[in-house]
Amino acid sequence: MGAAASFAFDPMARAGITATLPVAPSASAAVQGTQSVRRAFELLQLVAAQGDAGIRLSQLVLLSGIDRGTAYRMLSCLVEQQFVDRDEHRLYRLGPAALLLASTLTQPMPLLQRFGPAMKRLARRTGDTVFLMMREGDHVHCAHREDGPSPIRILSTVIGQRRLLGTGTGGIAILGLLGREELLALHRRHAARYAEMGLDAERLLKEAEQARRQTHAFTMNNLEVGIGGVGLAFRIARLGIGAISVASIAAKLTPQRHHELVTLIAEELRQIEVELAFADRPD
């Protein structure tokens, strides 16, 4: 695993930039008379966030604040409509209807519409390869890649590829948004795979803390020898988590270049944040 840089700087904090995108409207700002719909979608999002691991009713009640009876009735309706599955161990996961709904898109157009222009600008300005990595349960999924004009292109990750959280620059950046218990549970679920990569639980926690402290991830020789990267994580909607990262040859990643890439990515996330803040509001 590539270690984060030893020097300390936080250009985002100095510029007043945050990499956290806006969350869903509060109850007071939301459309009146739609509380039940919002609660059902909240449960669906919570189920989706757990990926293959699944989640129990008691956990959903705790996370959502919805009373147990109401949550059970809503989940039963989602199960009936096949948006959620409930297995013999009473674990809830996304159902076939939710997966089929997403599969009707030939590509993740809503994400590309929001992030595509920023990624093109980053690729053009940096000359390097830009990745959009989205969390899917215990993994990160490469939703899009933009290749810059540099003659040396980073092809270690292709569109559609999935990696365990904590691998790759984007996957390490996302670790900073996860809590200690969530990280330990993640490591337990995939202990054998992490062991193959030489990544024990303590190292995973340290990577997360470093990304959190620096507000970004910086890697060297992580997936390929001679390749480094800089990545910033973000939140989208209420539970969506992703990262934009720039990969480059290690020789180019001087302290000054590192600083420049963090600033450039942060600027683009700030612009996306402003657009998202008003995108879905009524006139």
Side-chain angles (χ1 to χ4, degrees):
M1 296 290 294
S6 57
F7 56 93
F9 62 87
D10 187 357
M12 292 185 296
R14 291 203 300 268
I17 300 170
T18 174
T20 300
L21 298 186
V23 299
S26 64
S28 60
V31 178
Q32 297 297 313
T34 59
Q35 184 179 42
S36 294
V37 177
R38 289 198 304 275
R39 286 180 169 181
F41 273 117
E42 181 176 6
L43 290 172
L44 187 61
Q45 289 175 319
L46 287 169
V47 170
Q50 299 305 309
D52 296 337
I55 186 169
R56 296 189 181 279
L57 174 61
S58 57
Q59 295 172 291
L60 288 167
V61 169
L62 182 64
L63 291 170
S64 68
I66 302 172
D67 73 79
R68 189 180 183 90
T70 300
Y72 180 77
R73 289 192 297 273
M74 289 181 172
L75 287 166
S76 295
C77 179
L78 290 169
V79 168
E80 178 185 310
Q81 297 300 315
Q82 299 187 51
F83 278 89
V84 169
D85 264 344
R86 180 171 53 219
D87 68 15
E88 65 274 17
H89 303 293
R90 298 184 180 180
L91 286 169
Y92 292 91
R93 298 181 178 84
L94 279 186
L99 301 176
L100 287 170
L101 192 63
S103 72
T104 60
L105 293 174
T106 56
Q107 55 182 322
M109 283 304 298
L111 284 176
L112 296 190
Q113 288 168 355
R114 294 183 177 185
F115 291 94
M119 293 178 67
K120 289 181 183 297
R121 286 192 297 270
L122 281 170
R124 185 175 65 250
R125 295 173 72 182
T126 66
D128 291 316
T129 308
V130 184
F131 297 93
L132 174 62
M133 307 299 292
M134 298 300 299
R135 182 186 180 186
E136 289 185 357
D138 293 348
H139 299 78
V140 286
H141 166 257
C142 181
H144 190 55
R145 187 184 82 194
E146 284 289 342
D147 296 324
S150 171
I152 301 177
R153 297 188 177 185
I154 313 302
L155 306 177
S156 56
T157 302
V158 298
I159 296 173
Q161 188 170 356
R162 295 171 81 239
R163 300 183 185 277
L164 269 177
L165 283 168
T167 54
T169 307
I172 293 174
I174 290 171
L175 289 184
L177 298 180
L178 309 184
R180 176 184 175 84
E181 294 306 315
E182 188 173 4
L183 288 167
L184 290 174
L186 166 70
H187 194 277
R188 285 194 298 270
R189 288 194 293 271
H190 303 280
R193 182 71 184 98
Y194 280 124
E196 291 175 5
M197 296 184 289
L199 187 59
D200 59 22
E202 183 179 357
R203 183 67 176 275
L204 197 71
L205 291 172
K206 286 182 178 179
E207 293 281 11
E209 173 57 29
Q210 207 155 32
R212 190 158 43 242
R213 185 173 65 251
Q214 293 190 157
T215 69
H216 67 278
F218 176 61
T219 61
M220 294 289 280
N221 305 314
N222 179 256
L223 296 176
E224 287 187 14
V225 175
I227 301 300
V230 173
L232 275 69
F234 58 83
R235 296 185 185 276
I236 185 169
R238 187 176 185 277
L239 295 169
I241 295 177
I244 285 183
S245 61
V246 175
S248 178
I249 58 173
K252 290 173 58 178
L253 284 174
T254 62
Q256 181 180 355
R257 179 64 168 168
H258 177 176
H259 181 285
E260 289 173 352
L261 290 177
V262 172
T263 303
L264 286 172
I265 299 171
E267 287 175 354
E268 292 296 345
L269 284 173
R270 180 177 56 182
Q271 291 186 39
I272 295 170
E273 181 179 16
V274 170
E275 293 171 6
L276 289 174
F278 302 99
D280 298 319
R281 293 184 181 180
D283 295 333

